[in-house]
Amino acid sequence: ERMVGGTVEVKGTKKDGHVFPLELSLARWTAKGETFFTAIIRDVTERKLLLEAEAVRKSEARLAEAQQLARLGNWELNVETNELFWSDEIYRIFGLPVEGYGATYEVFLNSVHPDDREFVQQSVNEALYEKKPYNIDHRIIRPDGEERIVHEQCKVTYDVTGRPILMIGTIQDITERKRTEEALKESEAKLQEQKMALEQKNVALKEILEQIGMEKKKIQDDVLANVDKLLLPTLEKMKVQ
Protein backbone atom coordinates (compact mmCIF):
# COMPACT_ATOMS: atom_id res chain seq x y z
CA GLU A 1 0.00 0.00 0.00
CA ARG A 2 2.86 2.41 0.82
CA MET A 3 4.42 1.78 -2.59
CA VAL A 4 1.36 2.93 -4.50
CA GLY A 5 1.84 6.32 -6.10
CA GLY A 6 5.55 6.40 -5.42
CA THR A 7 8.87 5.16 -6.70
CA VAL A 8 11.22 2.82 -4.91
CA GLU A 9 14.53 1.25 -5.75
CA VAL A 10 14.80 -2.51 -5.63
CA LYS A 11 17.30 -5.11 -6.77
CA GLY A 12 16.81 -7.47 -9.65
CA THR A 13 18.65 -10.66 -10.50
CA LYS A 14 19.47 -11.76 -14.01
CA LYS A 15 19.59 -15.36 -15.19
CA ASP A 16 23.36 -15.43 -14.73
CA GLY A 17 22.94 -14.40 -11.11
CA HIS A 18 24.07 -10.82 -11.66
CA VAL A 19 22.31 -8.39 -9.32
CA PHE A 20 21.41 -4.99 -10.75
CA PRO A 21 19.42 -1.93 -9.55
CA LEU A 22 15.80 -1.40 -10.57
CA GLU A 23 13.41 1.49 -10.12
CA LEU A 24 9.80 0.47 -9.50
CA SER A 25 6.84 2.84 -9.91
CA LEU A 26 3.38 1.59 -8.89
CA ALA A 27 0.05 3.26 -9.71
CA ARG A 28 -3.50 2.27 -8.78
CA TRP A 29 -6.59 3.06 -10.83
CA THR A 30 -10.24 2.02 -10.90
CA ALA A 31 -12.48 1.17 -13.84
CA LYS A 32 -16.05 -0.19 -13.76
CA GLY A 33 -15.83 -0.75 -10.07
CA GLU A 34 -12.64 -2.77 -10.31
CA THR A 35 -9.21 -1.78 -9.01
CA PHE A 36 -6.17 -2.18 -11.19
CA PHE A 37 -2.45 -1.67 -10.59
CA THR A 38 0.12 -0.57 -13.12
CA ALA A 39 3.82 -1.09 -12.46
CA ILE A 40 6.70 0.44 -14.39
CA ILE A 41 10.11 -1.13 -13.92
CA ARG A 42 13.26 0.60 -15.13
CA ASP A 43 16.83 -0.68 -15.21
CA VAL A 44 18.76 2.18 -13.62
CA THR A 45 22.19 0.59 -13.83
CA GLU A 46 23.54 3.23 -16.22
CA ARG A 47 22.16 6.09 -14.13
CA LYS A 48 23.66 4.61 -10.97
CA LEU A 49 27.01 4.25 -12.68
CA LEU A 50 26.87 7.89 -13.82
CA LEU A 51 26.01 9.02 -10.29
CA GLU A 52 28.81 6.94 -8.83
CA ALA A 53 31.25 8.27 -11.42
CA GLU A 54 30.20 11.83 -10.60
CA ALA A 55 30.65 11.14 -6.89
CA VAL A 56 34.12 9.74 -7.55
CA ARG A 57 34.98 12.76 -9.72
CA LYS A 58 33.90 15.16 -6.98
CA SER A 59 35.80 13.16 -4.38
CA GLU A 60 38.95 13.20 -6.52
CA ALA A 61 38.54 16.94 -7.11
CA ARG A 62 38.24 17.57 -3.36
CA LEU A 63 41.27 15.36 -2.73
CA ALA A 64 43.31 17.20 -5.38
CA GLU A 65 42.33 20.55 -3.88
CA ALA A 66 43.23 19.37 -0.38
CA GLN A 67 46.59 18.05 -1.60
CA GLN A 68 47.34 21.34 -3.35
CA LEU A 69 46.57 23.31 -0.20
CA ALA A 70 48.71 20.99 1.91
CA ARG A 71 51.45 20.79 -0.76
CA LEU A 72 51.18 17.02 -0.39
CA GLY A 73 50.90 14.32 -3.04
CA ASN A 74 50.56 10.55 -3.03
CA TRP A 75 52.39 7.94 -5.07
CA GLU A 76 52.44 4.20 -5.73
CA LEU A 77 55.35 2.12 -7.00
CA ASN A 78 54.84 -1.36 -8.42
CA VAL A 79 58.11 -2.95 -7.36
CA GLU A 80 57.76 -5.84 -9.82
CA THR A 81 57.09 -3.75 -12.94
CA ASN A 82 58.80 -0.53 -11.75
CA GLU A 83 55.63 1.38 -12.72
CA LEU A 84 55.19 4.58 -10.75
CA PHE A 85 52.01 6.60 -10.22
CA TRP A 86 52.09 10.22 -9.08
CA SER A 87 49.15 12.38 -8.09
CA ASP A 88 48.99 15.76 -9.83
CA GLU A 89 50.39 17.57 -6.80
CA ILE A 90 53.66 15.64 -6.95
CA TYR A 91 54.21 16.90 -10.50
CA ARG A 92 53.66 20.44 -9.20
CA ILE A 93 56.05 19.88 -6.29
CA PHE A 94 58.75 18.67 -8.69
CA GLY A 95 58.01 21.49 -11.13
CA LEU A 96 57.03 19.07 -13.91
CA PRO A 97 54.04 19.28 -16.30
CA VAL A 98 51.08 17.21 -15.17
CA GLU A 99 50.01 16.32 -18.69
CA GLY A 100 52.19 14.30 -21.04
CA TYR A 101 54.97 13.57 -18.57
CA GLY A 102 55.19 9.99 -17.38
CA ALA A 103 56.41 9.35 -13.86
CA THR A 104 59.17 6.77 -13.46
CA TYR A 105 61.55 5.90 -10.65
CA GLU A 106 64.40 7.24 -12.78
CA VAL A 107 62.61 10.58 -13.19
CA PHE A 108 62.20 10.72 -9.43
CA LEU A 109 65.88 9.96 -8.75
CA ASN A 110 67.02 12.50 -11.34
CA SER A 111 64.99 15.13 -9.48
CA VAL A 112 66.65 14.31 -6.15
CA HIS A 113 69.53 16.59 -5.17
CA PRO A 114 72.80 14.87 -6.21
CA ASP A 115 74.14 15.09 -2.65
CA ASP A 116 71.00 13.36 -1.29
CA ARG A 117 70.58 10.73 -4.02
CA GLU A 118 72.64 7.99 -2.36
CA PHE A 119 70.83 8.54 0.94
CA VAL A 120 67.41 8.27 -0.74
CA GLN A 121 68.34 5.10 -2.66
CA GLN A 122 69.71 3.53 0.52
CA SER A 123 66.52 4.45 2.42
CA VAL A 124 64.36 2.89 -0.31
CA ASN A 125 66.38 -0.33 -0.32
CA GLU A 126 66.28 -0.56 3.48
CA ALA A 127 62.50 -0.12 3.41
CA LEU A 128 62.11 -2.78 0.72
CA TYR A 129 64.53 -5.44 1.85
CA GLU A 130 65.13 -4.76 5.55
CA LYS A 131 61.61 -3.53 6.38
CA LYS A 132 62.95 -0.35 7.95
CA PRO A 133 60.61 2.68 8.22
CA TYR A 134 60.74 4.99 5.21
CA ASN A 135 60.31 8.41 6.75
CA ILE A 136 62.88 10.85 5.38
CA ASP A 137 63.57 14.46 4.41
CA HIS A 138 65.64 15.28 1.34
CA ARG A 139 66.21 17.96 -1.26
CA ILE A 140 65.04 18.04 -4.86
CA ILE A 141 66.09 20.19 -7.81
CA ARG A 142 63.39 21.50 -10.14
CA PRO A 143 64.01 21.87 -13.88
CA ASP A 144 64.40 25.65 -13.39
CA GLY A 145 67.18 25.02 -10.86
CA GLU A 146 65.14 25.86 -7.75
CA GLU A 147 65.97 23.76 -4.71
CA ARG A 148 63.12 22.48 -2.54
CA ILE A 149 62.91 20.27 0.53
CA VAL A 150 60.41 17.40 0.74
CA HIS A 151 59.30 14.93 3.39
CA GLU A 152 58.55 11.36 2.30
CA GLN A 153 57.02 8.39 4.01
CA CYS A 154 55.61 5.14 2.69
CA LYS A 155 54.28 1.69 3.45
CA VAL A 156 55.57 -1.45 1.74
CA THR A 157 53.30 -4.40 0.85
CA TYR A 158 54.80 -7.90 0.65
CA ASP A 159 53.52 -11.13 -0.88
CA VAL A 160 53.14 -14.39 1.05
CA THR A 161 56.83 -15.20 0.54
CA GLY A 162 57.92 -11.85 2.02
CA ARG A 163 58.91 -10.35 -1.32
CA PRO A 164 58.10 -6.61 -1.69
CA ILE A 165 55.53 -5.95 -4.40
CA LEU A 166 54.12 -2.48 -3.76
CA MET A 167 55.14 0.81 -2.17
CA ILE A 168 52.48 3.39 -1.30
CA GLY A 169 53.58 6.73 0.02
CA THR A 170 53.33 10.50 0.19
CA ILE A 171 55.57 13.45 -0.60
CA GLN A 172 55.09 16.84 1.04
CA ASP A 173 56.86 20.08 0.18
CA ILE A 174 58.20 21.32 3.53
CA THR A 175 60.54 23.99 2.16
CA GLU A 176 58.88 26.94 3.90
CA ARG A 177 58.66 25.05 7.19
CA LYS A 178 62.33 24.09 7.01
CA ARG A 179 63.35 27.65 6.16
CA THR A 180 61.35 28.92 9.11
CA GLU A 181 63.01 26.33 11.37
CA GLU A 182 66.45 27.35 10.08
CA ALA A 183 65.63 31.03 10.62
CA LEU A 184 64.54 30.25 14.18
CA LYS A 185 67.74 28.27 14.80
CA GLU A 186 69.85 31.15 13.48
CA SER A 187 67.89 33.59 15.63
CA GLU A 188 68.34 31.39 18.70
CA ALA A 189 72.07 31.07 17.94
CA LYS A 190 72.41 34.85 17.67
CA LEU A 191 70.51 35.34 20.92
CA GLN A 192 72.79 32.80 22.58
CA GLU A 193 75.86 34.64 21.27
CA GLN A 194 74.47 37.96 22.51
CA LYS A 195 73.72 36.38 25.89
CA MET A 196 77.26 35.01 26.16
CA ALA A 197 78.72 38.38 25.12
CA LEU A 198 76.58 40.15 27.74
CA GLU A 199 77.65 37.66 30.39
CA GLN A 200 81.30 38.26 29.47
CA LYS A 201 80.76 42.02 29.71
CA ASN A 202 79.11 41.57 33.10
CA VAL A 203 82.09 39.53 34.30
CA ALA A 204 84.50 42.19 33.03
CA LEU A 205 82.45 44.94 34.67
CA LYS A 206 82.40 43.02 37.93
CA GLU A 207 86.18 42.65 37.80
CA ILE A 208 86.57 46.40 37.13
CA LEU A 209 84.29 47.26 40.05
CA GLU A 210 86.17 44.87 42.30
CA GLN A 211 89.47 46.47 41.22
CA ILE A 212 88.07 49.95 41.89
CA GLY A 213 86.87 48.78 45.30
CA MET A 214 90.29 47.35 46.11
CA GLU A 215 92.04 50.55 45.04
CA LYS A 216 89.59 52.64 47.04
CA LYS A 217 90.19 50.55 50.13
CA LYS A 218 93.97 50.83 49.64
CA ILE A 219 93.67 54.60 49.46
CA GLN A 220 91.56 54.63 52.62
CA ASP A 221 94.06 52.37 54.40
CA ASP A 222 96.96 54.60 53.29
CA VAL A 223 95.16 57.69 54.56
CA LEU A 224 94.42 56.12 57.94
CA ALA A 225 97.96 54.79 58.25
CA ASN A 226 99.50 58.22 57.57
CA VAL A 227 96.92 60.43 59.26
CA ASP A 228 99.37 61.39 62.03
CA LYS A 229 102.02 62.42 59.52
CA LEU A 230 99.50 64.41 57.55
CA LEU A 231 98.13 66.23 60.61
CA LEU A 232 101.48 66.80 62.41
CA PRO A 233 102.48 69.97 60.51
CA THR A 234 99.09 71.45 61.17
CA LEU A 235 99.30 70.68 64.87
CA GLU A 236 102.77 72.20 65.16
CA LYS A 237 101.59 75.39 63.52
CA MET A 238 98.72 75.57 65.98
CA LYS A 239 101.18 75.25 68.91
CA VAL A 240 103.41 78.02 67.61
CA GLN A 241 100.48 80.38 67.30
Side-chain angles (χ1 to χ4, degrees), residues 113-239:
H113 192 289
D115 294 341
D116 294 349
R117 201 167 291 161
E118 183 178 351
F119 162 69
V120 171
Q121 287 182 297
Q122 181 181 349
S123 299
V124 171
N125 289 334
E126 288 177 350
L128 286 172
Y129 306 112
E130 299 179 27
K131 298 185 179 181
K132 291 185 177 181
Y134 185 77
N135 193 347
I136 62 173
D137 295 344
H138 64 84
R139 294 166 293 174
I140 62 172
I141 303 294
R142 288 179 167 180
D144 61 3
E146 182 184 5
E147 182 179 306
R148 307 291 292 180
I149 305 172
V150 298
H151 173 74
E152 281 199 81
Q153 58 184 12
C154 85
K155 177 181 179 182
V156 182
T157 300
Y158 301 87
D159 63 14
V160 292
T161 65
R163 184 180 60 177
I165 57 176
L166 183 68
M167 297 183 77
I168 300 177
T170 60
I171 294 180
Q172 184 174 23
D173 187 338
I174 59 171
T175 306
E176 281 67 32
R177 189 185 79 191
K178 281 292 186 180
R179 287 174 179 170
T180 300
E181 289 175 356
E182 289 300 321
L184 287 173
K185 286 181 181 178
E186 291 179 4
S187 178
E188 289 175 356
K190 289 180 180 178
L191 287 174
Q192 187 65 23
E193 290 178 0
Q194 293 174 356
K195 180 181 177 182
M196 291 178 64
L198 183 60
E199 288 176 351
Q200 291 175 353
K201 289 180 180 179
N202 288 337
V203 171
L205 179 61
K206 183 179 179 181
E207 291 176 351
I208 292 172
L209 291 175
E210 288 177 352
Q211 185 65 30
I212 292 174
M214 291 173 61
E215 292 179 357
K216 181 180 178 181
K217 186 176 185 303
K218 184 176 181 300
I219 292 172
Q220 290 175 341
D221 291 343
D222 289 343
V223 170
L224 292 174
N226 297 287
V227 65
D228 293 340
K229 294 179 180 180
L230 292 172
L231 293 176
L232 184 59
T234 303
L235 292 172
E236 290 177 351
K237 288 180 181 181
M238 292 175 63
K239 287 179 180 180

Side-chain angles (χ1 to χ4, degrees), residues 32-73:
K32 297 181 179 180
E34 297 186 26
T35 300
F36 300 89
F37 293 91
T38 301
I40 299 176
I41 301 176
R42 300 183 183 89
D43 184 344
V44 294
T45 302
E46 185 175 348
R47 189 179 71 186
K48 292 281 287 185
L49 290 174
L50 289 174
L51 290 173
E52 290 173 0
E54 178 64 13
V56 170
R57 186 194 65 79
K58 289 181 178 180
S59 177
E60 290 178 345
R62 287 193 292 268
L63 176 61
E65 184 177 1
Q67 288 192 349
Q68 189 168 7
L69 289 171
R71 302 287 292 152
L72 181 145

